[in-house]
Amino acid sequence: MTYPKRLIEVDLPIKRISAHSRREKSIRHGHISTLHIWWARRPLAACRAVICAALWPDPADEHCPPAFRGAAKAAMLDWARNHLGLASAESFPRFVAIQKDAARLDDPIELRHALLDFIADFANWDNSTVKEYLDTSRALTQAAHEALGGAPGTRPLVVDPFAGGGSIPLEALRVGADAFASDLNPIPVLLNKVVLEYIPKYGQRLADEVRKWGAWIKQEAEKELAAFYPKDPDGATPIAYLWARTIRCEGPGCGAEVPLIRSPQLSTKGKKSVNLVVRGDSVTKKVIVEVSSAAAAKPEPTVRRGSVTCPVCGYTTPAGNARQQFKTRAGGTHDARLLSVITVKANEPGKSYRAPTDGDRAAFLEAMNRWDQIKSDVGAHGLTTIPSEPLPYLRSIFNINLLGVNQWGQLHTPRQAVALASFAEKIYQAWDRLRELPDGLGGAIHLCLGLALDRSADRMTSLCRWISQTEAVGYTFGRQALGIVWDYIEINPLTTDAAWLGAIENICEVIEAVDRALLRNGSVQECSATAHPLPDDSTACFVTDPPYYDAVPYADLSDFFYVWLKRTVKQSHSRFAHELLTPKEDEVVQLSERNPKYAYKTRERFEALMTDAMREGRRVLTPSGIGVVVFAHKTTAGWETQLKAMIDAGWVITGSWPIDTEKPGRLRALDAAALASSIHLVCRPREHPDGSLRNTDIGDWRDVLAELPRRIHEWMPRLAEEGVVGADAIFACLGPALEIFSRYSRVEKASGEVVSLREYLEQVWAAVAKEALAQVFKDADTAGFEPDARLTAMWLWTLNAGAINGDESPADEEEADDEEETKGKAARAKGGFVLEYDAARKIAQGLGAHLEDMGHVVEVSGETARLLPVSERTSYLFGKEQADAPTGGRKKKAAQIDLFGELTKVGADETAWSEKTVKKMGETTLDRVHQAMILFAAGRGEALKRFLVEDGAGRDQRFWRLAQALSALYPASTSEKRWVDGVLARKKGLGL
């Protein structure tokens, strides 16, 4: 039986959806991301658009039910006539034309584009609660459901078995479907219960009650905590305290206590400048720290990459020795040094910074005494007052372990732990009164209060930084890891928006925003995706964002919150708080190299469990249903594993759309490899109409290989029109490429040998590389270029992610926490353009080159490959006697991009080269272009002229075609871009 294609299988306005998704990353008030942290949560804009396009048939498809075509035409005509003012600038012309001539909608293609325009506008955050958009989308969803065979009065069911932060099920409800959200981890189950069950049921009343009870808890906790946060004698209120961990200087005869200050700037907001000035007293052997607002040179930190320089004697204690001093000090927050106190005053604008007083230190000591009294007490909840549950070791992720921190409660300073314990106790006690409220409302309030404590805890650890540019408090989870922060900020939880009442208000704003969408109730259940509770053929749409292979240790990270939820909501939600920590055994992640106890969490296990989860998704889906799997991962291994799981589970991939879901300049992009886009893989069950798996379809390898380049050739220009380039384009080609392969139960060669997915993906990379190269050289004969030029061009094109830009700011830089990370960053600091080795190998192979033969262009080290910067090729190009790179003068730091978005530093400057003379013209076109670039950079104008004219390098048109291509490919901020443009500028003047 043939089913009509859905809109998502033929087209999607990805550029406009991406713009809304990127903007959404900056929206705070009312967004579900401010309900509670969850990692890798998808933007609502992308989910909303994708679900609409997956549920609605393509009206231009010959099998589209006439009933839906008629309903869509009526809806779009009504939109044009009655809601034109809501249309965006991009959609406005189309709907104006429809308003003037309704007959335009008789053309199915025009009707398709009208629906896509509506979807693009609906993706806008500002339209997410607008009644006209909600009503129209729900009418179209209902019409599609009934036209496709759904029973009248029922709604299509959208299932997400990896519900996580809840974006997908929330948007399913918003557009008029039913939603079933499940997860193995209790934290996302609780979050989804709030969004999908409690808010639709209680609405504004829930927000009002949470505000009321939040104020009561703050009032009660303040009675116990006020003495620990005393006001200043002049009436100013301390809102935050800046601390630094300390070590003893290991310099000969010194032994000074050195505060580890990485960020001495307190405020750089606007014209304001407040710094910490650090100096050493050689007589007393003490380090003196003062707060200064006097204009001065940028203050120097005492710690860099974990190595500590003593201001008293100048000795530098190595990073390993410094860390060793913390082994028995559980992070060193008990003997940390208070550096500055940040205060505000009623009716006075801005923040003030002052030196700490004896009163400040006495208040902290009083809190520490209280911590010592209660740390091991067992509260009414049957648990220690301060969380003593073990904090696991995960190599290069939980680097805080290196400072002797091995319990979750040790992440908090003594005063922070006392404050959180006090709030937790009040929440726990509140249940005695909340349980009396009718209709289950008390449980909903109680859970929201527990989530507010989690939000507070995220800003109350010794891993929170003070952000000088905005004078704001950072979060514990600035990234998906627990690194080392040497100087940290401690907030006063009784004041400021970052504290308790701020968390309460964030949650209430989410409740009110979701309530405005007028949702029906969804369903939430705690269960594994590998054993789904729904019956066969019960679901219309399977949409999920599964774990990204080894990228995020979700369960281990979530224990940070779980240990506090057990101490707050155990009474009202006991089934979610009965274990020591969150479930780990059945989690679908690959962590075998992170910790010996996770040796079983291998790639093979991940693939097996993901296959089970994908098979369950196909089982619960109707034969006519559709699936969308969101995936974004840095390694080809992660992609191959996910794709193999889907194909082995019986899915046919019918499309893939890259939606730019990441905020430009985000920390993840700056500090680790990450795609700019999330790839939305569209798939259908490879089944017979009765739901049984088709397993006898055998494809011919020759036919598959013949169709592949044609499909890529058709698809890549479409991506280019939408601004999708580089790594995003490569992975966006997987959908159409895999449709060819996955339509068969297996593909065989003439010999009968079964073709593996890995072998096919090698061919896909080759086809994409060749097509991309044809685009780079604008129909030039790429065969005329040697392998090194083709590889360099394709390498740079792959790194051209487009959405990642902006320099790394001091506030976002992450400390190198262990030796491995330090070495990795040191390697990247060499400069150049970095790819994952396997990706580089596939690109080279697709272009008929081999990395092992490219040592003069590419450096391979472990799992990465680096395209050498031009400055490192001087020895090869000019001879060993002229091998020196720039040695003096102004140094530039040009941010360069690696797969998929990682910034590396290259520091060459064209004014600092020694004299260069070409003794032998390069053997390849790339060599000759690089020689010319270095001559230009070295200021050797006459030598460059001789090289181009007399030696004849510039008389080869391939030279200029390659130079022009490299000009377009090198990032704008790089030295290479300036050099090649300088060479190109000489062409006309030389008569070439």
Side-chain angles (χ1 to χ4, degrees), residues 303-322:
V303 59
R304 294 180 185 273
R305 300 290 182 206
S307 298
V308 184
T309 301
C310 176
V312 175
C313 70
Y315 180 83
T316 297
T317 301
N321 292 24

Side-chain angles (χ1 to χ4, degrees), residues 665-666 669-671 796 799-802 804-809 813 828-834 869 891-899 901-908 969-978:
R666 71 200 188 280
L670 297 168
D671 190 63
L796 294 171
L799 295 173
N800 186 11
I804 305 300
N805 53 61
D807 290 332
E808 197 169 2
S809 67
E813 289 179 354
R828 294 199 297 270
K830 290 181 181 179
F833 305 83
V834 180
K891 297 288 184 181
K892 276 190 173 293
K893 288 184 178 180
Q896 298 188 14
I897 305 172
D898 76 356
L899 186 71
E902 188 169 323
L903 296 181
T904 62
K905 303 292 184 185
V906 61
L969 291 168
Y970 281 126
S973 59
T974 61
S975 297
E976 281 91 344
K977 167 68 172 171
R978 294 193 300 276

Side-chain angles (χ1 to χ4, degrees), residues 502-700:
I504 289 290
E505 189 57 30
N506 285 147
I507 289 173
C508 291
E509 287 175 347
V510 173
I511 295 171
E512 291 166 339
V514 174
D515 184 48
R516 286 195 294 273
L518 304 172
L519 304 181
R520 296 175 180 269
N521 276 48
S523 299
V524 183
Q525 190 164 331
E526 182 180 12
C527 61
S528 171
T530 62
H532 207 279
L534 289 181
D536 296 355
D537 302 336
S538 57
T539 302
C541 196
F542 172 81
V543 185
T544 194
D545 179 26
Y548 296 164
Y549 193 51
D550 63 351
V552 184
Y554 301 91
D556 293 285
L557 291 170
S558 69
D559 285 339
F560 174 88
F561 299 111
Y562 186 74
V563 297
W564 285 110
L565 281 173
K566 288 196 302 179
R567 288 160 171 79
T568 54
V569 303
K570 187 176 181 180
Q571 300 150 295
S572 58
H573 293 79
S574 59
R575 62 186 297 264
F576 299 110
H578 59 276
E579 299 292 342
L580 176 68
L581 296 169
T582 58
K584 310 290 190 308
E585 179 121 4
D586 296 327
E587 185 186 24
V588 187
V589 291
Q590 195 283 100
L591 293 173
S592 58
E593 79 289 357
R594 302 284 190 187
N595 187 329
K597 79 171 187 176
Y598 288 152
Y600 64 94
K601 292 190 175 185
T602 61
R603 172 177 177 164
E604 293 73 21
R605 176 182 175 277
F606 176 92
E607 185 178 305
L609 291 178
M610 187 58 71
T611 301
D612 289 343
M614 294 295 106
R615 187 178 291 116
E616 281 291 271
R618 182 180 60 80
R619 177 186 65 78
V620 303
L621 191 71
T622 63
S624 62
I626 190 168
V628 180
V629 177
V630 187
F631 203 69
H633 191 63
K634 65 182 181 180
T635 68
T636 54
W639 273 97
E640 289 175 3
T641 305
Q642 178 65 37
L643 293 169
K644 187 175 188 302
M646 294 173 66
I647 292 172
D648 288 351
W651 290 96
V652 177
I653 314 250
T654 61
S656 58
W657 298 98
I659 298 179
D660 190 354
T661 58
E662 305 303 335
K663 184 178 178 181
R666 71 200 188 280
L667 178 59
R668 174 68 177 147
L670 297 168
D671 190 63
L675 277 172
S677 299
S678 295
I679 308 300
H680 294 66
L681 297 165
V682 186
C683 46
R684 294 274 195 162
R686 193 175 66 246
E687 295 178 346
H688 297 292
D690 64 359
S692 60
L693 182 65
R694 297 199 326 263
N695 55 16
T696 58
D697 300 340
I698 302 175
D700 186 285

Side-chain angles (χ1 to χ4, degrees), residues 911-969:
T911 66
W913 294 82
S914 63
E915 185 171 301
K916 301 293 178 188
T917 303
V918 178
K919 294 184 176 180
K920 180 183 177 183
M921 188 179 294
E923 295 182 1
T924 68
T925 307
L926 180 71
D927 288 346
R928 294 190 287 275
V929 171
H930 281 179
Q931 285 175 321
M933 290 166 61
I934 292 174
L935 288 174
F936 172 82
R940 300 280 289 147
E942 288 301 315
L944 176 60
K945 179 179 178 180
R946 287 195 302 271
F947 179 69
L948 293 174
V949 179
E950 297 173 19
D951 296 343
R955 300 191 185 280
D956 183 351
Q957 289 307 305
R958 293 180 305 169
F959 178 97
W960 299 108
R961 287 203 304 269
L962 179 59
Q964 195 66 52
L966 293 178
S967 174
L969 291 168

Side-chain angles (χ1 to χ4, degrees), residues 971-988:
S973 59
T974 61
S975 297
E976 281 91 344
K977 167 68 172 171
R978 294 193 300 276
W979 300 343
V980 75
D981 284 351
V983 173
L984 287 167
R986 293 293 187 94
K987 180 181 180 183
K988 185 176 181 180

Side-chain angles (χ1 to χ4, degrees), residues 100-249:
K100 293 178 179 178
D101 181 12
R104 292 174 64 95
L105 290 176
D106 293 333
D107 178 358
I109 298 296
E110 181 67 20
L111 181 55
R112 173 202 288 170
H113 288 309
L115 289 171
L116 292 172
D117 272 354
F118 175 85
I119 287 173
D121 285 357
F122 192 24
N124 188 337
W125 166 263
D126 297 333
N127 296 332
S128 62
T129 57
V130 173
K131 186 176 185 300
E132 290 81 359
Y133 280 100
L134 295 172
D135 290 346
T136 301
S137 65
R138 291 167 182 175
L140 288 167
T141 296
Q142 191 63 33
H145 176 60
E146 294 182 4
L148 292 171
T154 64
R155 290 177 296 279
L157 177 62
V158 176
V159 166
D160 181 2
F162 295 104
S167 296
I168 290 170
L170 168 61
E171 293 309 314
L173 293 181
R174 193 189 307 271
V175 305
D178 284 336
F180 186 96
S182 59
D183 205 290
L184 178 67
N185 192 299
I187 304 293
V189 173
L190 293 173
L191 301 183
N192 279 282
K193 286 185 77 68
V194 171
V195 174
L196 308 182
E197 295 181 1
Y198 295 158
I199 298 176
K201 184 175 182 179
Y202 303 115
Q204 183 63 46
R205 185 183 174 194
L206 178 59
D208 294 341
E209 290 291 327
V210 170
R211 281 193 180 95
K212 182 182 78 174
W213 283 94
W216 177 83
I217 286 170
K218 191 252 186 183
Q219 182 181 12
E220 293 299 305
E222 192 167 13
K223 297 175 184 176
E224 298 178 1
L225 300 176
F228 304 144
Y229 304 94
K231 288 194 174 185
D232 288 0
D234 64 355
T237 301
I239 61 169
Y241 306 82
L242 183 65
W243 295 83
R245 305 177 204 269
T246 62
I247 69 161
R248 288 288 174 184
C249 174

